[in-house]
Short mmCIF file of all heavy atoms in Angstrom, two decimals:
data_model
loop_
_atom_site.label_atom_id
_atom_site.label_comp_id
_atom_site.label_asym_id
_atom_site.label_seq_id
_atom_site.Cartn_x
_atom_site.Cartn_y
_atom_site.Cartn_z
N THR A 453 20.47 23.00 -3.79
CA THR A 453 21.54 22.12 -3.31
C THR A 453 21.18 21.62 -1.91
O THR A 453 20.25 22.10 -1.29
CB THR A 453 22.86 22.90 -3.26
OG1 THR A 453 22.68 24.06 -2.44
CG2 THR A 453 23.29 23.33 -4.66
N VAL A 467 31.95 26.51 13.56
CA VAL A 467 32.01 27.98 13.59
C VAL A 467 30.97 28.56 12.64
O VAL A 467 30.26 29.52 12.99
CB VAL A 467 33.42 28.47 13.21
CG1 VAL A 467 33.46 30.00 13.11
CG2 VAL A 467 34.45 27.96 14.21
N ALA A 582 8.37 11.47 -3.35
CA ALA A 582 9.80 11.20 -3.18
C ALA A 582 10.61 12.21 -3.97
O ALA A 582 11.33 11.84 -4.90
CB ALA A 582 10.14 9.78 -3.61
#
Side-chain angles (χ1 to χ4, degrees):
T453 56
V467 175

